[in-house]
Amino acid sequence: MAAPQSFLWTRRIVLTLLAGFVLLPVYVMVSSSLKPLQDVSGKFQWIPGDLTIQPYFDIWDTVPLAKYFVNSLIVAGAATALSVTIAVFSAYAVSRYTFRGKRAFTVTVLSTQMFPGILFLLPLFLIFVNIGNSTGLALYGSRGGLILTYLTFSLPFSIWMLIGYFDSIPKDLDEAALVDGCGPIRALFRVVVPAAVPGIVAVSVYAFMTAWGEVLFASVMTNDATRTLAVGLQGYATQNDVYWNQVMAASLVVSVPVVAGFLLLQRYLVAGLTAGAVK
Amino acid sequence: MTAVTTDPKVDKPDGVRSTGTGDARRRLPRIPDRIRQGGLPYLLLLPAVLLELLIHIIPMIIGIVMSFRQLTQFFINNWGGAPWSGLDNYRIAVDFDAPIGEALLHSFLVTCVFTFFAVGLAWLFGITAAIMLQESFRGRGFLRAVFLVPYALPVYAAVITWAFMFQRDNGLVNHVLHDQLGLTDQPSFWLIGDNSIYALIIVSVWKGWPFAFLMLMAGLQNIPRELYEAASIDGAGIWQQIRRITLPSLRPVNQVLVLVLFLWTFNDFNTPYVLFGKSAPESADLISIHIYQSSFVTWNFGSGSAMSVLLLLFLLVVTAVYLFFTSRGRKGADA
């Protein structure tokens, strides 16, 4: 299809503007992270005067960034692994079997996905505090407690996406395996899971990214020892000064792993969405 | 598990679901579903159901119970001991002449305006970019990756950068508007006062539009190429094809997308919290921040719970109405 000049010019202009809008903060993040403190504290400069990589060394001392990094990794990783594993089993049941209560289950999962996090924050906070008081089990402030709260958004999403994805895999595939004498669980792991790899990757990427960026639960449910990056990054602002160059350097450092991983896996995400959510 | 399938009971010919074609094995009599599966689906669902109970159902019930109590910081360690207050929390929340109700109504209206613009612009940017990147050309893959960057960046890292750009004295925005273009008499405040709502909308659109782009890009891949080829043979130009084929074909995707964007944007906590902190400026006081503040800053959990329940009811009604109209529209289109 030969596109007319009017379309080509519109496309060039629109895409340039959008790319500029998207990349503006990225440029600010990178360039400001390389400026000395006095430069980021003064008027904004498009072109940095003095370049320094000192902020990249300082970020680890100003706040315990490495500890927050490890906390975020554990919490986001565990929440992802847990929700995707559980979602695989329940999505298989919903996609392949008819049983009483199936509709109630899917409706519950779908509707809890739309509820605001703030709705669960208050009760979970009270439950954790009260369990701690009566049994000594430290859920409030612990990584385990935070992982549990992260399931409030990652579990329903994972189940919902995987039901859609499993539905798009022909039932003949695993029925053939069942007829061949595979048990249902073996059919799931030998046939359905391998066929659903793009969907499972897409869901994992999404769950991990959401947990990595989560602020609400992290700001209420953590203490000094379990603080995640989301809360920890606020530590670069002191009473007198904000170390903007360090804030930008730390933001870049915590972003690079997820952005790189995401861009590598984005093809899967589009494939997963195409089969799971859009159809 | 295999023992179940060899159970003599199930060897009765079923025939209802037998598939006519395929190799010999596939023509074997089918096993009635209910006997073959037994309790297996329930076993598979068990972990999910237990967790749903623990993280959603029980907290929701407790949240509703709390909304009928006078739950302040003195009762955090023993919330069951908080005195009943009946409908008081609700009455106070919807008394729009008194300060608490007035603030809640204001925050609700701000959230509506914010959601309207943030969702509208995110959708507009997303659909534009998706259509522009539908055909392959040099640099398409690169641009696709670039456009997904805001989606991949952790919220707090991205929003902190925007907060830096909106600083009054050392931010990029004032540097451009005031120093370079001379559009304003003096550097403006962006994170306090009336301008805050603009700052919030810009950041939210920046963060949210790539998701619309991603969904719509996936939706575009499901449109058969033949439709475009046929249209182009019939003499339809590219603009006509977009209007007559692309947009109508995306309708089912749009229905889901707009609902999801609406719910996320209306409930968004992360963006305003990182941009403004624990208490947002009045012009950008979103409902989730407002509830957070009533609960964890002024320590009135009962009132916060009542507001949460009201928010939930509102979202349920809007979603139900939306689903009713969009599914009716779809049925009409099919007929």
Side-chain angles (χ1 to χ4, degrees):
Chain A
M1 171 172 39
Q5 281 296 312
S6 67
F7 179 78
L8 291 182
W9 274 106
T10 315
R11 184 165 79 185
R12 262 172 224 148
I13 294 167
V14 168
L15 293 181
T16 310
L17 287 175
L18 276 177
F21 179 50
V22 163
L23 289 178
L24 189 65
V26 178
Y27 175 75
V28 170
M29 199 189 275
V30 175
S31 68
S32 304
S33 74
L34 295 167
K35 293 176 186 172
L37 184 61
Q38 78 220 38
D39 284 8
V40 284
S41 308
K43 281 229 172 302
F44 182 81
Q45 306 159 310
W46 281 99
I47 317 282
D50 296 321
L51 285 178
T52 169
I53 54 165
Q54 195 56 39
Y56 286 88
F57 296 106
D58 294 342
I59 50 175
W60 308 96
D61 300 325
T62 313
V63 305
L65 190 67
K67 191 171 81 182
Y68 301 153
F69 214 101
V70 171
N71 284 338
S72 279
L73 209 59
I74 293 173
V75 172
T80 305
L82 206 57
S83 53
V84 174
T85 310
I86 293 167
V88 163
F89 288 112
S90 45
Y92 180 62
V94 170
S95 169
R96 294 307 199 246
Y97 294 102
T98 46
F99 53 90
R100 199 186 292 264
K102 176 165 148 173
R103 206 180 138 69
F105 178 78
T106 51
V107 168
T108 308
V109 168
L110 182 64
S111 49
T112 49
Q113 197 187 334
M114 61 178 248
F115 295 167
I118 192 90
L119 185 76
F120 302 112
L121 177 72
L122 297 161
L124 281 170
F125 170 75
L126 288 183
I127 294 173
F128 285 5
V129 168
N130 282 280
I131 287 181
N133 286 341
S134 53
T135 66
L137 191 67
L139 275 174
Y140 173 66
S142 74
R143 292 196 202 99
L146 194 61
I147 292 166
L148 215 55
T149 64
Y150 280 14
L151 292 178
T152 56
F153 53 83
S154 63
L155 186 65
F157 175 84
S158 307
I159 294 176
W160 193 249
M161 282 287 294
L162 284 181
I163 291 175
Y165 205 88
F166 285 0
D167 279 346
S168 76
I169 298 168
K171 286 193 172 56
D172 293 355
L173 279 179
D174 43 308
E175 282 182 357
L178 287 175
V179 175
D180 281 343
C182 259
I185 302 295
R186 266 182 63 187
L188 168 63
F189 283 107
R190 288 286 186 77
V191 181
V192 180
V193 167
V197 164
I200 293 174
V201 172
V203 172
S204 310
V205 168
Y206 181 87
F208 188 85
M209 276 180 14
T210 326
W212 191 258
E214 205 283 332
V215 180
L216 174 63
F217 291 110
S219 67
V220 172
M221 299 287 196
T222 56
N223 59 28
D224 282 343
T226 56
R227 197 142 293 163
T228 62
L229 291 167
V231 193
L233 243 51
Q234 293 166 7
Y236 294 102
T238 63
Q239 285 275 302
N240 310 312
D241 229 334
V242 181
Y243 300 118
W244 281 114
N245 51 352
Q246 291 189 43
V247 176
M248 295 297 115
S251 299
L252 203 67
V253 167
V254 305
S255 302
V256 164
V258 274
V259 174
F262 176 78
L263 292 181
L264 281 175
L265 297 170
Q266 51 127 335
R267 270 171 208 292
Y268 285 106
L269 199 70
V270 176
L273 279 173
T274 310
V278 173
K279 270 186 180 151
Chain B
M1 293 297 168
T2 38
V4 179
T5 52
T6 54
D7 191 309
K9 268 191 298 191
V10 301
D11 276 339
K12 281 185 283 186
D14 174 14
V16 179
R17 286 191 51 203
S18 73
T19 46
T21 54
D23 59 356
R25 274 175 304 181
R26 298 270 303 278
R27 263 186 249 116
L28 282 173
R30 281 311 189 79
I31 302 148
D33 273 346
R34 201 149 318 149
I35 299 173
R36 185 180 57 177
Q37 69 194 39
L40 182 68
Y42 297 107
L43 205 65
L44 289 168
L45 282 188
L46 190 66
V49 170
L50 286 179
L51 273 174
E52 280 288 320
L53 272 176
L54 189 68
I55 59 180
H56 286 135
I57 311 294
I58 294 175
M60 210 144 65
I61 293 168
I62 291 181
I64 292 170
V65 172
M66 278 180 353
S67 70
F68 295 108
R69 286 175 188 257
Q70 208 180 335
L71 193 63
T72 55
Q73 70 266 44
F74 307 111
F75 297 103
I76 285 173
N77 289 326
N78 173 28
W79 61 273
W84 282 95
S85 58
L87 285 170
D88 275 0
N89 287 324
Y90 290 93
R91 218 171 283 139
I92 293 167
V94 297
D95 179 4
F96 300 138
D97 294 326
I100 291 178
E102 197 191 347
L104 183 67
L105 180 66
H106 171 82
S107 154
F108 173 76
L109 294 176
V110 164
T111 311
C112 288
V113 172
F114 161 75
T115 306
F116 178 79
F117 284 104
V119 170
L121 289 171
W123 179 82
L124 192 67
F125 286 17
I127 188 121
T128 309
I131 289 175
M132 300 273 166
L133 291 189
Q134 195 182 7
E135 295 295 315
S136 83
F137 61 89
R138 251 169 68 101
R140 176 177 172 238
F142 172 75
L143 278 175
R144 185 162 109 160
V146 165
F147 287 169
L148 291 175
V149 165
Y151 182 67
L153 277 174
V155 185
Y156 46 88
V159 178
I160 270 183
T161 309
W162 276 102
F164 176 54
M165 290 162 67
F166 280 120
Q167 292 294 304
R168 181 171 181 266
D169 295 323
N170 56 351
L172 173 145
V173 175
N174 276 343
H175 179 63
V176 171
L177 292 182
H178 179 72
D179 303 346
Q180 296 192 310
L181 300 176
L183 291 175
T184 47
D185 292 340
Q186 50 187 338
S188 331
F189 285 106
W190 291 101
L191 300 178
I192 51 176
D194 289 344
N195 287 331
S196 315
I197 183 81
Y198 302 119
L200 185 60
I201 290 173
I202 291 171
V203 179
S204 175
V205 170
W206 183 87
K207 186 80 193 114
W209 82 267
F211 178 75
F213 168 64
L214 197 63
M215 288 280 285
L216 290 164
M217 209 162 51
L220 286 176
Q221 293 186 352
N222 288 330
I223 304 177
R225 304 301 306 161
E226 298 84 56
L227 280 181
Y228 291 105
E229 281 157 25
S232 132
I233 289 167
D234 288 344
I238 190 155
W239 296 110
Q240 263 186 314
Q241 292 178 20
I242 290 171
R243 208 160 62 86
R244 296 285 166 80
I245 302 175
T246 311
L247 293 178
S249 309
L250 286 177
R251 216 180 126 156
V253 182
N254 276 327
Q255 285 174 352
V256 177
L257 176 63
V258 168
L259 180 65
V260 169
L261 281 179
F262 162 76
L263 290 170
W264 284 351
T265 313
F266 206 92
N267 294 332
D268 191 16
F269 176 87
N270 295 342
T271 311
Y273 183 80
V274 179
L275 203 56
F276 303 122
K278 280 191 167 81
S279 58
E282 204 179 319
S283 80
D285 187 23
L286 295 192
I287 197 100
S288 54
I289 291 278
H290 191 79
I291 296 176
Y292 176 89
Q293 225 212 338
S294 326
S295 314
F296 287 94
V297 180
T298 56
W299 297 107
N300 195 340
F301 288 104
S303 175
S305 301
M307 292 178 190
S308 301
V309 174
L310 289 173
L311 171 64
L312 178 63
L313 288 176
F314 170 76
L315 293 174
L316 281 177
V317 168
V318 170
T319 306
V321 169
Y322 181 85
L323 289 178
F324 175 74
F325 278 107
T326 53
S327 66
R328 212 175 56 162
R330 199 179 298 169
K331 265 179 220 147
D334 288 345

